[in-house]
Each structure stands twice: as C-alpha cells, then as structure tokens.
Amino acid sequence: MAKKQFKAESKRLLDLMIHSIYTNKEIFLRELISNASDAIDKLAYRSLTDDSVTLKHDDYRIDLKIDKENGTLTVSDNGIGMDAKSLEENLGVIAKSGSLAFKQAVQADKEHPEADAADIIGQFGVGFYSAFMVADQVTVISRAYGADEANRWESNGADGYTITPCARDAAGTDVIMKIKADTEDYDYTRFLDPYTLQGLVKKYSDYIRWPIKMDMTKTRPVEKKEGDDDKDAPSYEEYTENVTLNSMVPLWHKNPKEVSDDDYAALYREKFGAFDRPLKTIHISTEGVVSYEALLFIPSAAPFDYYSKDYERGLQLYSNGVLIMDKCADLIPEYFRFIRGIVDTQDVSLNISREMLQESPQVRAISRSIEKKIRRELTKMLEKDRETYEKFFQTFGLQLKFGVVSDYGENKDDLKDLLLFKSSFEGKLVTIKEYISRMPEAQKDIYYACAQTVDKAKALPQAEALLTKGYEVLYLTDDADEFVMKTLLSEDGKNFVNVREYQQERTDEEKEQEKQQAQALEGMLGFVKEKLGGKVADVKLSNALGSHPVSLASQGGITLEMEQYFSRIAMENAPKADKVLELNPEHPLVKKLSETYESDADTAAKYAQLLYNQAMLMAGFEIEDPTAYTDLLCSLLA
Ligand code: ADP
Ligand code: MG
C-alpha cells in the first residue's frame, strides 16, 4: 500500500516531536491514556441509547503492556475505536481540539529557531503525536464500534504513514510504540519499566475514571512444606498480578482537604489543554435544591484565543460521573466566560438533549449558584489578597467591564464592586468604593479622565485643575471604560463625571463677570466657529483649562473617546462626536486672537485653525492635514 504524506503543518509538528530536546517526554503517556479514556467515554455514552452495546460499566478498561523483547509499549482501550476514515482524519492531520492551539503556536513560531520548540511543546496538550517523542515507530490498530473489520495505521513519523486492513477481536484501539534506543542524553528504555509507568500514571492520570491496568511482577513468601528443611531454598517467589494503577476517583469527588494544589493544577492542564497553573481553584460540593460537585478554575493566563471568536465558553457537564457535554455554556454567564471547569450532578438526566439542557431548571439553578460562588470568591480575593486579584484583573478585568455594559447594564450591580480603575491616588488601581471613601467633603462627583494612556489623561487641562484641588481622578485607558461609566451613571448618590464636563464653581459675582466676558467675546467666538467650517458644533469659553489655551469637549451622546474607539475598531459609518472647542479667555494666545479678530481677520482665522489643531492633538486625534498645519505654523511664526 502506498505511503501517504502528512499534511505540511503536521509534518512540522512531527519534526519538532522527533528532534525535540524537550525533557518532559514522559507526558506522552498522559496523552495516550487521555485519548483512551475519551474513547471509552464515547462508547459508554452511546450505550445509554444503544442497546447493542453489550459492555457493562465494569468492563471498560485501559491496558498498558510492556514487551521487553520487542522493545514495545502498548496502550489499549476497549472504547469506540476508529474506522479507516477516522484514522486518516484524526491521525493524518493535526486539526483536532487540543492540538489546534499547538498548531497555531507552531505556525506563529515559524520564523523562530528550533530552540523555542521545547517551550511550545511544554505549553500545550499535544495529543497523539507526542508518542513520537519516545518512539521510532508507532502502530495503531483500531476497530470502530459496530464495524467488523479493523485497520492498522503505521508510521515512523518522518516519511508518512500507511493504513492497511487487519483483524482485531472487538471494538477498541491499541497504540503500539517501538520505544527508541537509549542515547547519551536520554534514557528512553525506562518507558519499558513497569515501575516507571506506574509512577507516571499516579502522577498524571490517577483520577481517570476507567481502570488503567498492567501486569506487575510481585514477590510473596514461599509457603514452607512440612519436612522441607532445605535451608538454601528461596523463601520468596515472584508472581505476576494484573493491577489497577490509578485510584479512579475523580478529583471533584474527593474531600478538598485531600487534594493538593498540584493535583488540581494537573487536572486543569490535562482537561483543558492549558499550560498555566490556575490562579485559583474553587472546589464546590453542595446539596440543596440541586446537588452538584464542581471544580472551577480561574486561569492565571488568558488562552491565546480568548478574545477571539474561536473561544467557546462553557463548563464540562457530567451526570453522575458520565460526561454528557463538553462545553455547556448555560452553566456560566458570559461575563465569567474565562472560568474553566467541571460540574457533576445527579440531578440532570444522562439522556438529556442539548435543547432540553437549555430549558432545564436544574441547570439554571446550578448556573445561578456557580455564578454566586465565583463572585464571592473574587470578592474575597479582592479584599484579602489584593496582589493576586490585581493579577487576575489585568488578565480578565476587561471581561468584567464588558459584563457591566452588556445586556443594557442588567448585571452592573453584581459586578461594579469587582472593577478596578487606574487612579491618581498613589498611582494605584482602585475600586469605586475606595474612591468614595476618601472623597473630600466639598467634592460632589466622581471624576474620570479618558485617554489612551495615563500620562495623556493626567495632562488633560481639566484633570490638572481637579488634581490641583486635591481631588482624585480615575484614569480610564480601556476602550470599554467610558461605556462602563455611562452605564453605572452614579454610585452612592454621586455622579460619574467626565473631567471634560467639569467647570469651576463660581461665586455670583464671578459668574456675572464671565457673562460679560462672554458677551464681549461673542463676535470672536462666532467668527472662530464660522472659520472652522462645521468641524466643531460650538465654540465656548471655559474657566477650567488651567494653563492651557484650548481644549476639546463634546456635546450630545457620543463623546470624543467613543468616536476614537469606533474609529479604532473600524466601525462602518461610525458616529462622530459633536465637538466643542473650549477657549481659555485668560490665556495670552486667546487674548491675542480676540485682538487680531478686531484688526486683522485673515490672521485671526489662522489663529483659529492653530488652536483647533492643538485641541485635536491634545485630545488624541490626528491632525487632518499635517502639511497645511505645518504651513500655517510657519506663516504665523514668520
Ligand atoms: P485530541 O485528543 O485533543 O482530540 P489527539 O491528537 O490526542 O487530539 O487525538 C486526535 C483524535 O484521534 C482524537 O480526537 C480522537 O478522535 C482520535 N483518537 C486518538 N486516540 C484514540 C483512541 N484511543 N480511540 C479512539 N479515537 C482516538
Ligand atoms: Mg488527546
């Protein structure tokens, strides 16, 4: 039979596997056992609705077999198996779940030298291909459930694979690895040692719920026969016993006191193809309206596809130990979509359909309970372990902000106290509560300044004015921030106010003065507006600009920051802010403008353009016509 070639990206991954100097080669066993377990899960699940499956729960097993003479290690299962087409599709290409992330990382990494490969392999659950880290030759014999014939898939990794028909007694799969010879750098043959394998199963696969069995040689005392007084006869003899290597108790059934952080981390990595350690593990066992056990993980790093549409939210749902759905989205609200985890309950029927799941009051009750538990856990972290919380917030804070804004602010009350904002207060991240707790008596509103960076926010004229007064200012640098403020509106009777809307409080006398000033300058303001030809909706005086001559503000529902946000995300027909040019009447440049307006309209028009462009720059916009602007500057300076 002709050899088939691996798809290009698979080939590259294989090369990495074969030539990798990666020391953690032993994870291949975890990967193969995990595949075997998945295959049994599938058949066990099918047996619920298919009476032709005659295997009983206790019949399912995974076997490890060592053949010292031929130097092979075999991992077998009596699960769902694969037909020729599945062998081709699953083992000829890397496009399967866990391996997909890996494939993408490998591609992203193409420009980098091979040395980085080790890191990549360490980071992902790499699946079946990891067998090639320890084997020269891999043979897969598989018979699909319901098929009569079996097939043999064979490859040495390097130059393609073959698939040929063969025989197998029953449905299931054998993965036979011809273990590599020892090299100076690596002792491969230890994978033919039963104690090594036993240790690896304990380390990586202990909780797999199907028995992992292997023949082990043991010793026992020899019974002395009566009259047998040969002193040299051995008092111990060897015998072979087929032992179960794993304890088979799912971690979530265990008492949390008996589970170590390492155990949790191992399960988290194995189940979710993650490479980080969970930042926090929440282990729930609860009885009540609904009873369930859950293991929830807050990742410490966002999966690489987290903010893309490829990322699917959801928790694994088990009914009494049997996996019924891999990503049950109904168990977790969108704003906690970063949570990975497992829910096991006897209150949801094994045979429930996906549509029924959505309607299920039990699922809804569990989801509500889980949501509360996560919220409580995060609140606790925020109060007791600020450092970890800030780390969490750096990674997933944006998600919480989206949560506040989405669904018309329906969840804002549940989430607002979990938000952190950058602030002028000691340069720290602060909560809204903290801000309010230290507001000076005279301060009525909560002020925030929006800009791309903290430095730019700080430099906004109105922010400067407020800071000088000793008020705290929140620096909002996330796209979502301003929408959050517009959704929250107020807290504890205090409004959230954009510093751009801030005006100095004035005595009646001062107000009268300003009115007169405005009247006196009315002609000039109208002139500037006219000369800017529709670029601004209005031109006004402002007393809040401190040492700056101009500032840009907005009126109506769309703020400057929103306009910038829409333009960054390249939204079609993006709405624009109605811009208001604010002038500081006390500033020499503005005074100069009003003088020239009286005497020399042409030059005054140039000043108007100059001030407008400066305001645009300060507000973080680009100059519309840089050449014209430079020419303008030169002509004014000349
Ligand atoms: P993943 O397990 O993340 O899907 P793998 O590379 O480990 O990726 O496996 C690829 C696919 O090959 C699996 O999704 C499964 O369909 C199939 N497969 C692997 N091992 C077995 C097995 N022992 N029995 C049945 N199918 C298997
Ligand atoms: Mg796998």
Side-chain angles (χ1 to χ4, degrees):
M1 166 145 191
K3 273 228 163 90
K4 297 193 180 186
Q5 290 306 311
F6 290 103
K7 295 271 156 57
E9 64 270 33
S10 308
K11 180 126 182 50
R12 184 174 150 79
L13 177 51
L14 276 167
D15 285 347
L16 288 181
M17 290 291 176
I18 294 164
H19 303 297
S20 152
I21 40 138
Y22 186 53
T23 48
N24 208 11
K25 293 175 195 288
E26 62 190 34
I27 57 141
F28 81 95
L29 191 64
R30 172 193 78 186
E31 296 294 330
L32 296 186
I33 288 175
S34 150
N35 285 352
S37 174
D38 290 348
I40 296 176
D41 280 346
K42 284 177 195 158
L43 188 55
Y45 183 59
R46 177 152 170 180
S47 73
L48 299 171
T49 52
D50 183 345
D51 288 340
S52 73
V53 183
T54 52
L55 289 180
K56 297 275 165 294
H57 191 275
D58 290 345
D59 297 332
Y60 294 111
R61 55 189 281 168
I62 298 165
D63 287 285
L64 306 186
K65 217 170 297 141
I66 297 167
D67 180 340
K68 279 240 155 87
E69 258 155 63
N70 294 308
T72 62
L73 167 64
T74 301
V75 178
S76 302
D77 66 72
N78 53 356
I80 194 101
M82 286 174 277
D83 58 17
K85 188 162 164 277
S86 317
L87 280 169
E88 170 98 41
E89 284 173 3
N90 294 328
L91 309 185
V93 201
I94 300 171
K96 298 286 126 186
S97 54
S99 315
L100 187 66
F102 185 78
K103 181 185 118 185
Q104 291 177 348
V106 169
Q107 280 182 335
D109 200 55
K110 254 185 188 149
E111 305 82 37
H112 298 286
E114 222 64 359
D116 290 342
D119 290 342
I120 313 175
I121 294 173
Q123 286 176 7
F124 293 96
V126 288
F128 171 75
Y129 282 75
S130 59
F132 287 99
M133 289 200 289
V134 300
D136 297 322
Q137 171 110 24
V138 179
T139 306
V140 180
I141 295 174
S142 195
R143 176 168 156 186
Y145 177 77
D148 294 327
E149 75 291 335
N151 285 284
R152 170 197 298 268
W153 179 100
E154 204 153 17
S155 172
N156 62 3
D159 44 54
Y161 58 93
T162 56
I163 297 176
T164 44
C166 68
R168 196 183 191 276
D169 282 347
T173 302
D174 312 298
V175 179
I176 306 160
M177 288 158 281
K178 176 105 180 59
I179 299 295
K180 291 181 185 182
D182 289 341
T183 66
E184 253 175 48
D185 301 323
Y186 202 87
D187 173 18
Y188 290 98
T189 52
R190 70 192 184 97
F191 297 125
L192 297 170
D193 169 44
Y195 293 99
T196 304
L197 299 181
Q198 185 180 37
L200 292 179
V201 169
K202 270 277 163 226
K203 182 170 171 189
Y204 294 113
S205 312
D206 191 54
Y207 60 85
I208 291 280
R209 47 189 202 100
W210 309 109
I212 304 165
K213 289 170 169 282
M214 183 174 63
D215 280 344
M216 298 213 48
T217 306
K218 298 193 163 181
T219 53
R220 63 186 161 204
V222 180
E223 275 178 50
K224 292 258 192 266
K225 290 191 197 87
E226 230 173 288
D228 181 359
D229 49 18
D230 179 357
K231 291 213 174 58
D232 295 333
S235 53
Y236 285 88
E237 66 176 4
E238 291 193 332
Y239 70 102
T240 302
E241 192 184 307
N242 190 252
V243 296
T244 302
L245 303 174
N246 53 331
S247 61
M248 291 166 55
V249 181
L251 227 49
W252 53 93
H253 283 330
K254 289 191 181 168
N255 183 336
K257 289 199 189 86
E258 287 161 18
V259 188
S260 72
D261 282 353
D262 282 347
D263 293 339
Y264 286 132
L267 176 113
Y268 166 72
R269 292 205 183 106
E270 204 272 340
K271 279 261 182 242
F272 304 109
F275 54 86
D276 55 331
R277 265 185 96 87
L279 190 68
K280 179 90 202 163
T281 303
I282 308 169
H283 190 159
I284 307 170
S285 174
T286 169
E287 277 168 41
V289 194
V290 286
S291 306
Y292 70 92
E293 286 155 327
L295 266 186
L296 308 174
F297 301 99
I298 303 175
S300 55
F304 73 99
D305 61 349
Y306 183 68
Y307 284 104
S308 81
K309 57 181 184 312
D310 292 339
Y311 182 89
E312 245 184 284
R313 86 165 193 264
L315 303 178
Q316 281 195 339
L317 179 60
Y318 288 78
S319 168
N320 229 350
V322 181
L323 179 68
I324 55 175
M325 194 172 171
D326 196 30
K327 293 230 166 109
C328 183
D330 299 308
L331 284 172
I332 195 100
E334 175 69 13
Y335 51 83
F336 286 154
R337 70 204 285 270
F338 48 83
I339 299 279
R340 296 288 182 87
I342 290 155
V343 174
D344 196 345
T345 175
Q346 40 201 358
D347 292 338
V348 171
S349 150
L350 269 175
N351 300 308
I352 195 163
S353 70
R354 276 174 194 234
E355 297 72 45
M356 293 288 284
L357 259 182
Q358 273 177 8
E359 306 291 308
S360 153
Q362 288 86 354
V363 168
R364 222 170 287 164
I366 294 173
S367 161
R368 263 199 306 274
S369 155
I370 283 179
E371 193 272 346
K372 274 206 199 81
K373 293 238 152 86
I374 297 170
R375 206 144 34 86
R376 202 176 309 151
E377 205 63 42
L378 288 173
T379 308
K380 207 166 91 192
M381 198 195 285
L382 173 65
E383 285 164 3
K384 303 249 157 68
D385 183 2
R386 184 65 168 244
E387 201 180 318
T388 308
Y389 189 80
E390 289 189 5
K391 188 162 177 268
F392 157 76
F393 199 82
Q394 305 282 6
T395 317
F396 297 115
L398 192 56
Q399 188 67 60
L400 299 187
K401 289 175 182 172
F402 287 154
V404 167
V405 176
S406 59
D407 297 321
Y408 305 100
E410 191 184 312
N411 305 301
K412 66 177 178 183
D413 288 336
D414 286 340
L415 297 176
K416 64 174 197 274
D417 291 332
L418 291 173
L419 299 183
L420 292 179
F421 299 97
K422 290 175 195 150
S423 152
S424 59
F425 182 79
E426 297 178 0
K428 285 194 175 133
L429 288 169
V430 306
T431 64
I432 297 169
K433 272 191 184 155
E434 287 163 352
Y435 182 104
I436 292 178
S437 73
R438 50 181 175 246
M439 276 169 70
E441 190 106 18
Q443 185 181 347
K444 296 284 170 284
D445 296 321
I446 302 170
Y447 292 106
Y448 61 89
C450 301
Q452 300 275 74
T453 65
V454 168
D455 283 340
K456 283 185 185 163
K458 238 186 247 183
L460 290 174
Q462 299 92 336
E464 267 184 20
L466 286 162
L467 292 172
T468 322
K469 280 174 84 94
Y471 288 6
E472 179 172 352
V473 175
L474 300 176
Y475 298 138
L476 307 191
T477 53
D478 264 347
D479 288 335
D481 281 335
E482 187 162 31
F483 297 97
V484 170
M485 293 305 175
K486 298 270 175 210
T487 309
L488 292 179
L489 290 174
S490 70
E491 173 70 16
D492 201 16
K494 290 144 187 91
N495 293 328
F496 288 96
V497 174
N498 191 326
V499 294
R500 289 187 194 283
E501 283 153 32
Y502 165 72
Q503 293 286 323
Q504 299 266 22
E505 291 112 49
R506 285 298 201 242
T507 62
D508 286 346
E509 204 178 319
E510 284 168 328
K511 278 188 192 149
E512 184 53 35
Q513 245 175 355
E514 275 168 15
K515 219 167 114 193
Q516 287 175 7
Q517 197 172 34
Q519 273 166 4
L521 295 177
E522 213 181 317
M524 181 272 279
L525 296 177
F527 170 82
V528 173
K529 183 174 169 190
E530 185 204 316
K531 287 298 161 195
L532 292 179
K535 285 182 195 150
V536 296
D538 205 356
V539 181
K540 280 185 184 160
L541 297 178
S542 167
N543 57 37
L545 301 186
S547 59
H548 301 268
V550 275
S551 176
L552 209 56
S554 62
Q555 59 188 31
I558 310 289
T559 64
L560 303 176
E561 288 77 18
M562 288 178 184
E563 176 178 331
Q564 286 162 349
Y565 170 66
F566 291 140
S567 111
R568 266 200 303 287
I569 63 169
M571 182 170 151
E572 257 180 75
N573 304 321
K576 288 212 184 297
D578 282 337
K579 300 189 181 72
V580 176
L581 185 68
E582 294 183 338
L583 301 178
N584 177 358
E586 303 305 327
H587 195 277
L589 204 56
V590 176
K591 289 193 167 143
K592 181 103 193 213
L593 170 65
S594 11
E595 285 164 27
T596 16
Y597 156 68
E598 307 279 351
S599 57
D600 174 358
D602 278 354
T603 312
K606 285 184 187 171
Y607 277 120
Q609 291 294 343
L610 176 76
L611 287 169
Y612 165 73
N613 278 306
Q614 282 190 328
M616 286 288 278
L617 276 177
M618 282 166 70
F621 285 95
E622 281 177 19
I623 298 263
E624 287 144 23
D625 186 347
T627 319
Y629 179 63
T630 320
D631 290 348
L632 176 74
L633 259 183
C634 292
S635 82
L636 279 173
L637 287 173

